[in-house]
Amino acid sequence: MELMQKQTLERLAPWFVTISMFLLWEIICRLGGIPEYFLPAPTVIFDAMLTFHEALIEDSLYTLLSTSLGFGIAVVFGLLLGLLIGWSKTIYRGLYPVMVGFNSVPKVAVVPILVLWFGIGIVPAVLTAFLISFFPIVVNVATGLATTEPELEDVLRSLGASKLDIMLKVGIPGAMPFFFGSLKVAITLAFVGAVVSETVASNHGVGHLMLSAQANFEVPLVFAGLLVLAFEGIVMYAIFAAIEQRTAKWAYRSHQ
Amino acid sequence: MTHFVDIDEVSVSYNLGEPPVLEGASLQMSKGEFVALVGPSGCGKSTFMKLMSGLLKADQGSVVVANQEVTRPLGNVGMAFQNSVMLPWRTTLNNLLLPLEIARPHRETFRQNREAHANKAIELLSSVGLENVAEKFPWELSGGMRQRASLCRALIHEPEVLMLDEPFGALDAFTREELWCVLRDLWQERKFTVLLVTHDLIESAFLADRVLVMSNRPSRVIMELEIPFKRPRDLDIRFEKEFVDIVHQLRDQIRTARAA
Ligand SMILES: Nc1ncnc2c1ncn2[C@@H]1O[C@H](COP(=O)(O)OP(=O)(O)O)[C@@H](O)[C@H]1O
Ligand SMILES: [Mg+2]
């Protein structure tokens, strides 16, 4: 009985905290007399959401599209590059300095170049999403491949296994939890990349919407955009966290 | 007479310029013989084993197994280690089938014969006392059960040679004794050729026909001892005087080897 109560409490805790946060926010705004143009109360923001729901839905779908495209390319490219790096030490060594250099460039700094090449629009957003999100996938896949136990490799090689056999039977399945684990990080990053690029170089998307709202001093709409982004981000993260759990049950069980 | 396993005067070093790990090491085994290899830790026992299985090439000397010069892994060996290295995403049964997916000639026909293989695997599992674990995942097994399964995996493709590198090193004393008997019975029944690396002298004397002692690096076999007890041996043999004498003799040898 007590255990059940505790579990119920644990399940309800996140809702409780979230709702309390909004309540507190509302109260502070109302009682503190904080002006709407500085920090609108949640109810004001929800009201703006209703008023502008068409634009919000359209723009968030647009942001979702550029995020997904960039993320999709990152998954394919990241997986391939990760496998390549895991396959050969020489390739790894060769690519290492380039990758470290690439990773240390803030990707936002590439947006002007992308605009220079592709103009304002969806392409810079997709590419920024891709550039910012593929790296964790590469690193995780390569790390996953590197965790193959040497003894297991010996067992298989002694049976006459080729490098490809070992990769297919042990390396790749073993790297899958790492791969799926990286996706929830990568999708979040892709989202950040898309929004940042939209904010500075697009006529669509939530980023652009927020920037225009700010220019028009529609402060509640700016915050409405922010809440929509938070919501989208949470949903995408949750989806990939769930996928991770399903695809790699064994990884949780065997390392507990 | 030519030996089934004939390793002649091999030398190996891992890194250029370093003193060799093995130098002039030799080992002969006849078919179906059970040989244990003991020696100070780090002397090159595992290296010796890798050499014999073709995982590692000798700088000098020759390695011949079943009249074949070993220059690459031959596929007719089974291996098990201290760490059972099962694939956590496969059931025990599918872990056992892994060698058949890899080793020739089974791999070409693996799909057609999968059912027959699975039956064989289940039979093998029951012969080591693992009746109901085929569908369990490795993390659901105890250490001893995993090690039994690991032995089964090493034997599923009916290799001529079984190589065991401290396979019972991580088990508690009772489980270890149980597994000695499991291995003894498997060997009694199938008479594969075994090379067992161990640091447990009692284990070596209980299981093997012959115990070889290796020296410190650069290492080679410096002594061998026939274990005369008739088979099948009972666990209680360990407390008989002749047995204890042999263990003492081995211990003295290793002490000298370490001092050298
Ligand atoms: N892959 C390797 N690279 C370099 N040195 C190694 C490697 N494997 C083993 N050695 C060295 O070779 C020596 C013998 O190792 P090993 O055969 O594992 O000894 P044992 O199994 O008898 O404990 C050790 O000194 C070890 O450090
Ligand atoms: Mg060793």
Side-chain angles (χ1 to χ4, degrees):
Chain A
M1 206 56 223
E2 223 169 74
L3 187 70
M4 241 169 78
Q5 272 178 356
K6 205 176 146 206
Q7 280 176 340
T8 318
L9 202 68
E10 252 174 49
R11 237 195 356 260
L12 292 180
W15 296 104
F16 179 76
V17 170
T18 312
I19 292 170
S20 312
M21 192 193 77
F22 277 107
L23 276 180
L24 195 68
W25 180 353
E26 186 79 33
I27 292 168
I28 291 175
C29 286
R30 301 258 157 182
L31 297 186
I34 296 174
E36 204 168 89
Y37 59 80
F38 185 77
L39 178 69
T43 43
V44 179
I45 297 173
F46 293 141
D47 192 48
M49 272 184 182
L50 276 181
T51 318
F52 296 99
H53 71 272
E54 267 176 38
L56 277 169
I57 289 174
E58 194 182 310
D59 280 316
S60 53
L61 284 179
Y62 189 87
T63 303
L64 197 64
L65 178 68
S66 19
T67 304
S68 317
L69 286 176
F71 174 71
I73 303 172
V75 168
V76 174
F77 184 76
L79 194 55
L80 289 179
L81 190 60
L83 291 178
L84 203 65
I85 288 174
W87 176 264
S88 146
K89 258 240 154 68
T90 316
I91 295 177
Y92 172 74
R93 285 269 156 79
L95 285 177
Y96 188 77
V98 180
M99 288 201 309
V100 170
F102 177 84
N103 193 42
S104 45
V105 173
K107 301 315 166 290
V108 184
V110 205
V111 178
I113 300 172
L114 293 176
V115 174
L116 199 67
W117 287 345
F118 302 103
I120 300 270
I122 197 170
V123 181
V126 170
L127 289 181
T128 313
F130 157 64
L131 289 175
I132 205 169
S133 66
F134 88 91
F135 202 74
I137 302 179
V138 174
V139 171
N140 270 274
V141 171
T143 309
L145 288 174
T147 55
T148 303
E149 283 163 291
E151 283 107 341
L152 192 56
E153 224 175 299
D154 282 352
V155 168
L156 295 183
R157 283 211 300 134
S158 74
L159 295 166
S162 65
K163 205 168 171 180
L164 185 65
D165 287 332
I166 295 176
M167 195 86 156
L168 291 176
K169 298 281 181 196
V170 183
I172 294 177
M176 280 304 109
F178 290 82
F179 170 64
F180 284 109
S182 73
L183 292 189
K184 62 178 196 275
V185 179
I187 189 77
T188 313
L189 287 175
F191 191 52
V192 170
V195 172
V196 165
S197 178
E198 278 170 5
T199 308
V200 296
S202 180
N203 296 320
H204 300 279
V206 181
H208 170 254
L209 174 103
M210 285 172 70
L211 199 72
S212 341
Q214 179 240 25
N216 297 332
F217 225 63
E218 297 261 19
V219 180
L221 182 55
V222 178
F223 280 87
L226 198 66
L227 283 194
V228 166
L229 286 180
F231 176 74
E232 270 191 284
I234 291 168
V235 170
M236 285 191 279
Y237 182 89
I239 288 173
F240 283 94
I243 290 177
E244 182 193 8
Q245 295 258 0
R246 303 204 94 195
T247 44
K249 262 198 194 119
W250 59 264
Y252 289 102
R253 298 279 187 76
S254 59
H255 294 305
Q256 63 186 230
Chain B
M1 192 198 127
T2 60
H3 291 278
F4 181 65
V5 174
D6 192 349
I7 301 178
D8 191 39
E9 297 276 318
V10 287
S11 300
V12 185
S13 42
Y14 279 106
N15 294 310
L16 283 176
E18 262 183 31
V21 175
L22 298 177
E23 191 165 58
S26 300
L27 162 74
Q28 279 87 34
M29 291 166 74
S30 35
K31 197 167 166 59
E33 193 179 17
F34 197 134
V35 172
L37 196 58
V38 298
S41 111
C43 72
K45 302 181 292 296
S46 300
T47 305
F48 211 85
M49 192 166 260
K50 280 190 188 156
L51 212 64
M52 185 169 147
S53 58
L55 292 172
L56 193 70
K57 260 201 216 148
D59 301 334
Q60 280 163 45
S62 74
V63 179
V64 175
V65 176
N67 295 318
Q68 239 183 317
E69 177 90 33
V70 177
T71 51
R72 57 187 176 79
L74 297 177
N76 60 350
V77 304
M79 294 185 115
F81 299 87
Q82 174 164 344
N83 171 359
S84 62
V85 287
M86 301 289 229
L87 303 178
W89 56 89
R90 287 183 173 223
T91 59
T92 306
L93 176 63
N94 285 327
N95 264 294
L96 247 65
L97 295 180
L98 185 63
L100 298 169
E101 295 169 32
I102 301 277
R104 280 163 224 287
H106 308 283
R107 66 183 292 161
E108 278 78 16
T109 57
F110 178 77
R111 274 167 202 281
Q112 291 100 289
N113 300 337
R114 195 179 182 284
E115 199 152 327
H117 289 324
N119 289 334
K120 197 170 104 183
I122 289 170
E123 209 173 293
L124 188 57
L125 280 171
S126 9
S127 77
V128 301
L130 294 180
E131 277 78 15
N132 299 312
V133 308
E135 294 308 320
K136 289 224 162 83
F137 285 91
W139 73 77
E140 300 176 284
L141 308 185
S142 69
M145 288 160 100
R146 268 206 296 275
Q147 212 47 267
R148 283 169 205 244
S150 163
L151 270 182
C152 291
R153 181 180 61 191
L155 291 171
I156 187 75
H157 55 300
E158 296 179 9
E160 292 177 286
V161 185
L162 181 64
M163 298 197 193
L164 305 172
D165 195 346
E166 307 196 7
F168 312 130
L171 303 175
D172 64 87
F174 289 112
T175 313
R176 185 155 56 222
E177 285 166 19
E178 273 170 33
L179 276 156
W180 289 349
C181 296
V182 165
L183 178 58
R184 173 196 65 191
D185 297 341
L186 281 170
W187 178 79
Q188 203 81 42
E189 188 189 310
R190 298 162 173 247
K191 286 288 162 69
F192 34 76
T193 309
V194 191
L195 184 66
L196 168 73
V197 167
T198 174
H199 56 249
D200 184 336
L201 300 181
I202 297 177
E203 176 175 304
S204 71
F206 174 67
L207 285 167
D209 297 318
R210 202 148 52 93
V211 179
L212 307 183
V213 180
M214 289 182 80
S215 68
N216 251 336
R217 286 177 68 174
S219 184
R220 59 198 170 74
V221 177
I222 48 167
M223 188 197 91
E224 62 171 82
L225 208 58
E226 294 277 344
I227 310 296
F229 309 114
K230 68 176 198 312
R231 293 184 183 269
R233 296 171 189 165
D234 190 87
L235 268 180
D236 287 338
I237 193 180
R238 290 172 300 160
F239 308 113
E240 283 170 25
K241 183 173 182 308
E242 292 88 343
F243 190 93
V244 176
D245 284 346
I246 281 184
V247 173
H248 273 298
Q249 226 175 313
L250 285 169
R251 174 156 300 138
D252 288 343
Q253 281 298 329
I254 293 196
R255 197 166 295 143
T256 344
R258 274 169 69 179

